[in-house]
Amino acid sequence: MSTDTSEQSPEDELRERITNFLRRNFPQIQMHGGSAAIQDLDIEEGSVTVQLGGACSGCGISPMTIQAIKTRMTKEIPEIETVHASTGMGGQEGMAGGAEGDSGMSPSFPGDTTDDGEEDEGPQAPF
């Protein structure tokens, strides 16, 4: 089997780079029984949709994983400008998304500034 990439289309080459990025930067997904697969790739738009599955569905830290994928992938792979990701839970877009009809929620971290300019103090304890 040849490893010559000159025969690959630009889309196949980019898919391979994204897959390698996910394996290299997020081995914990597979180690914890989850999976990450490219669901859609649009080279002209510079966007990719990643579907997290397996143990990622319903995992409490999957929103943080999604945010990390979005942030790191756009920095490491210059052709990618937008990352959409979801866990498949209820068909809703993950926190890295922004699809129409989503819940309007976005990731929030202590110290972040909200849309109205106020500092986010993080989640409140339920007690």
Side-chain angles (χ1 to χ4, degrees):
M1 182 181 274
S2 173
T3 57
D4 184 11
T5 57
S6 63
E7 296 178 24
Q8 285 186 321
S9 72
E11 182 174 340
D12 288 342
E13 188 269 335
L14 185 55
R15 278 183 184 274
E16 186 174 321
R17 287 177 48 213
I18 292 168
T19 299
N20 289 336
F21 164 85
L22 291 168
R23 285 184 188 142
R24 185 178 64 252
N25 290 289
F26 298 95
Q28 67 273 26
I29 292 173
Q30 190 171 21
M31 289 179 356
H32 294 159
S35 63
I38 300 169
Q39 191 172 30
D40 185 49
L41 176 61
D42 188 327
I43 293 178
E44 282 132 29
E45 280 188 15
S47 69
V48 63
T49 302
V50 177
Q51 178 71 41
L52 299 179
C56 292
S57 296
C59 175
I61 64 167
S62 63
M64 291 176 12
T65 302
I66 288 171
Q67 186 62 35
I69 289 170
K70 177 182 178 183
T71 302
R72 291 166 68 179
M73 188 182 297
T74 56
K75 288 181 181 175
E76 188 171 318
I77 303 175
E79 297 90 339
I80 300 297
E81 296 178 21
T82 307
V83 178
H84 303 281
S86 70
T87 59
M89 295 295 293
Q92 291 188 357
E93 186 77 15
M95 286 188 162
E100 288 182 33
D102 68 4
S103 65
M105 296 183 69
S106 61
S108 172
F109 301 99
D112 282 353
T113 307
T114 61
D115 289 339
D116 57 6
E118 297 196 17
E119 186 173 315
D120 183 1
E121 295 179 11
Q124 299 298 313
F127 46 87

